[in-house]
């Protein structure tokens, strides 16, 4: 088990390259189950979730190789249609194999994901959507069994905007017989990325980038290659980290339009932000003004950087409210930030951060991926050393975060620990 030891007080400055988007990669990878052949995914981040997903595909018969951020997937010999619990419990996105398997092979067995560290995360929409397409779904011994002859085009309306359910149902609908209309579909950049990939594979999809997707099912697809979009969550994390250390940082390999909500909030807090086509530069000279955020589906402020915003607001002159409409209980990081001396109050779906407390290093525990990032960032502004346990959460979604932060001037080292 690894831990980070962060010594506070450094100011971030310099240039850093942002990796490919973890959440886009996890959506692109299962498309290889929709067609036989060799798929090449450029700009794939080398993080733990990508490895876990590769191993899941491997036990289905996919051969894979990840070298220099190029992931090759060979799906010529699929031998299993099952996603066992040992993978799904590590990573909920494993459920993405459900749609492609049932659409192409007429059957799939996928473990139910179970609980999550930041509250309930049901998969009812994934199942309802597949049932609407004609799959017969049963739950047995903790597994989802899905069966069908051939999926049939339909109209499915998502009760709530869900990235995962949209990705899954879209992957199923492309091989269904006839036309499918999906309404209130998610249109996060990661959803657009996978829709573009499916089109490159021969799928017929219109309305990409909008909440209404029209899919004309085809009989077969072919392998394709893709370059993964930049990780807007990693980019948002680094922008906030630069701001909270009163730094001056340029991010390269980013898509600034994907960061519009965060950039606006950073400017309101007092940061100076400039962008080119594929880079963003941020500088901050003073403590931030308090700025409230409400995490909601894209293009609103993302839930995946709300914990980082809370860490930033520990430095503000006043009080800022953080609301999360997607995961109203995603505030598990608050007691850990309080261990450093933060003044934060939580309520139903919100946290109020009162900035200005003096922060001192302590031992804290990561509870989920993005919570871990907020703890690392808090450690960078606390006095003395902060020990962050269970950084395997962080490794799920950030490629070499400590190396990138260290290259910008942070003082972070990774150590092995017996502690769990
Ligand atoms: C994805 C992201 C995750 C991000 C989240 C919200 C991946 C691998 N993960 O997760 O990082 O935090 O989007 O932007 O891309 N819901 C239901 N029923 C369902 C599915 C979802 O009620 O069947 C609800 C969820 O509880 C949540 C909301 O819909 O309140 C949105 O969740 P969703 O977009 O599905 O999140 P994920 O795809 O799991």
């Amino acid at each position: 088990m690894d831990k980070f030891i962060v010594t506070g007080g450094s100011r971030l400055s310099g240039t850093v390259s942002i990796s490919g988007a973890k959440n886009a990669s996890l959506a692109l990878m299962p498309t290889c189950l929709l067609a036989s052949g060799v798929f090449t995914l450029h700009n794939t981040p080398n993080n733990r979730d990508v490895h876990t997903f590769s191993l899941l595909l491997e036990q289905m018969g996919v051969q894979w190789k990840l070298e220099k951020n190029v992931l090759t997937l060979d799906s010529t010999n699929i031998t299993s249609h099952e996603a066992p619990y040992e993978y799904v419990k590590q990573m909920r996105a494993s459920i993405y194999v459900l749609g492609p398997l049932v659409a192409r092979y007429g059957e799939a067995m996928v473990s139910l994901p179970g609980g999550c560290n930041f509250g309930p995360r049901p998969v009812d929409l994934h199942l309802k959507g597949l049932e609407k397409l004609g799959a017969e779904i049963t739950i047995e011994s903790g597994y989802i069994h899905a069966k069908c002859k051939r999926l049939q085009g339909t109209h499915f309306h998502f009760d709530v905007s869900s990235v995962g359910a949209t990705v899954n149902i879209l992957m199923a609908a492309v091989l269904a017989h006839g036309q499918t209309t999906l309404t209130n579909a998610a249109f996060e950049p990661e959803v657009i990325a996978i829709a573009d990939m499916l089109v490159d594979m021969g799928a017929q999809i219109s309305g990409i980038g909008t909440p209404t997707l029209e899919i004309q099912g085809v009989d077969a697809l072919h392998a394709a290659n893709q370059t993964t979009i930049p990780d807007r969550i990693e980019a948002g994390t680094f922008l906030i980290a630069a701001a909270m250390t009163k730094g001056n940082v340029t991010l390269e390999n980013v898509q600034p339009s994907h960061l519009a909500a965060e950039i606006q909030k950073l400017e309101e807090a007092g940061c100076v932000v400039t962008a080119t086509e594929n880079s963003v530069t941020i500088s901050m000279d003073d403590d931030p003004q308090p700025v409230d955020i409400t995490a909601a589906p894209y293009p609103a402020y993302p839930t995946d950087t709300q914990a980082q915003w809370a860490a930033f607001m520990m430095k503000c002159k006043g009080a800022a409210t953080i609301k999360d409409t997607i995961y109203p209980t995603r505030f598990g990081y608050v007691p850990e930030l309080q261990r450093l001396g933060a003044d934060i109050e939580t309520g139903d779906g919100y946290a109020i951060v009162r900035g200005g407390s003096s922060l001192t290093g302590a031992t804290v525990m990561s509870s989920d991926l993005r919570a871990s990032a907020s703890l690392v960032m808090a450690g960078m502004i606390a006095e003395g050393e902060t020990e962050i346990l269970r950084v395997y959460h962080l490794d799920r979604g950030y490629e070499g975060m400590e190396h990138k932060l260290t290259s910008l001037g942070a003082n972070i080292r990774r150590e092995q620990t017996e502690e769990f």
Side-chain angles (χ1 to χ4, degrees):
M1 194 79 43
D2 287 358
K3 67 179 176 184
F4 277 2
I5 297 162
V6 181
T7 307
S10 309
R11 175 180 172 272
L12 297 189
S13 76
T15 299
V16 67
S17 180
I18 295 303
S19 298
K22 173 195 78 109
N23 287 350
S25 290
L26 298 181
L28 294 175
M29 291 170 72
T31 61
C32 77
L33 298 172
L34 286 165
S36 175
V38 179
F39 295 68
T40 306
L41 302 176
H42 297 271
N43 200 32
T44 299
N46 189 351
N47 59 38
R48 211 162 67 96
D49 273 8
V50 165
H51 273 259
T52 307
F53 211 116
S54 301
L55 293 172
L56 169 65
L57 292 173
E58 181 179 299
Q59 67 83 44
M60 292 177 177
V62 175
Q63 293 184 357
W64 64 279
K65 193 173 70 179
L66 177 57
E67 267 176 17
K68 295 187 178 163
N69 297 107
V70 179
L71 177 65
T72 313
L73 300 165
D74 182 346
S75 62
T76 311
N77 287 310
I78 299 300
T79 49
S80 154
H81 306 147
E82 184 181 334
Y85 181 59
E86 61 176 295
Y87 295 100
V88 184
K89 74 174 183 202
Q90 294 181 56
M91 193 186 56
R92 297 176 53 85
S94 307
I95 199 170
Y96 282 168
V97 300
L98 184 61
L101 285 175
V102 75
R104 178 139 180 252
Y105 297 99
E107 64 164 348
M109 204 161 102
V110 176
S111 169
L112 273 168
C116 169
N117 286 343
F118 50 86
R121 291 176 78 183
V123 291
D124 57 316
L125 291 171
H126 300 242
L127 306 189
K128 278 186 200 163
L130 287 176
E131 279 181 327
K132 196 80 197 290
L133 283 163
E136 193 186 304
I137 309 247
T138 52
I139 308 287
E140 260 172 60
S141 309
Y143 276 76
I144 304 161
H145 290 238
K147 271 191 186 166
C148 69
K149 286 213 169 69
R150 183 174 179 189
L151 295 175
Q152 299 295 318
T154 188
H155 176 195
F156 184 68
H157 180 81
F158 295 92
D159 291 340
V160 293
S161 175
S162 161
V163 173
T166 302
V167 168
N168 227 340
I169 304 309
L170 179 60
M171 285 191 286
V174 289
L175 281 183
H177 177 72
Q179 170 143 342
T180 297
T181 305
L182 302 177
T183 49
N184 197 28
F187 53 94
E188 267 70 2
E190 295 75 18
V191 177
I192 297 175
I194 190 211
D196 287 343
M197 170 80 172
L198 292 168
V199 168
D200 288 351
M201 291 170 64
Q204 293 182 18
I205 307 170
S206 60
I208 295 173
T210 78
T212 303
L213 294 169
E214 302 273 1
I215 302 118
Q216 184 62 46
V218 295
D219 291 339
L221 296 164
H222 52 80
N225 306 327
Q226 198 77 9
T227 298
T228 309
I229 57 170
D231 196 314
R232 64 194 170 99
I233 304 303
E234 187 196 19
T237 303
F238 275 82
L239 287 177
I240 299 168
M244 66 196 281
T245 63
K246 296 184 187 166
N248 186 334
V249 169
T250 297
L251 310 185
E252 288 178 339
N253 185 29
V254 288
Q255 176 53 264
S257 64
H258 293 168
L259 296 163
E262 291 97 316
I263 289 174
Q264 182 158 315
K265 291 294 176 183
L266 286 161
E267 286 174 339
E268 285 173 33
C271 302
V272 176
V273 185
T274 53
T276 68
E277 205 184 326
N278 56 7
S279 77
V280 176
T281 298
I282 184 164
S283 65
M284 179 70 163
D285 292 331
D286 206 353
D287 286 336
Q289 295 301 316
V291 175
D292 300 340
I293 57 153
T294 299
Y298 187 82
Y301 190 94
T303 173
D304 286 350
T305 49
Q306 63 94 335
Q308 296 89 316
W309 193 264
F312 179 33
M313 287 295 111
M314 297 191 318
K315 295 219 43 155
C316 78
K317 301 166 175 161
T321 303
I322 319 278
K323 287 191 190 143
D324 196 326
T325 63
I326 300 180
Y327 299 117
T329 54
R330 195 177 192 176
F331 294 101
Y333 59 86
V334 169
E336 303 302 311
L337 292 180
Q338 285 166 337
R339 289 179 55 73
L340 302 178
D343 181 355
I344 309 180
E345 168 196 334
T346 49
D348 191 9
Y350 69 87
I352 300 172
V353 184
R354 293 187 183 84
S357 319
S358 63
L359 304 170
T360 44
T363 299
V364 291
M365 182 91 80
S366 306
S367 54
D368 72 58
L369 164 55
R370 307 304 171 183
S372 326
S374 84
L375 297 179
V376 172
M377 291 155 67
M380 294 193 315
I381 56 163
E383 203 186 312
E385 282 194 348
T386 297
E387 222 186 21
I388 297 131
L389 305 179
R390 299 191 184 178
V391 293
Y392 64 85
H393 286 295
L394 192 96
D395 293 334
R396 286 187 51 195
Y398 292 94
E399 176 178 340
M401 192 198 212
E402 77 274 30
H403 302 303
K404 289 188 182 184
L405 285 172
T406 304
S407 76
L408 295 174
N411 189 337
I412 303 179
R413 63 181 197 276
R414 181 187 287 262
E415 280 184 9
Q416 287 205 324
T417 170
E418 295 295 298
E419 237 156 336
F420 189 70

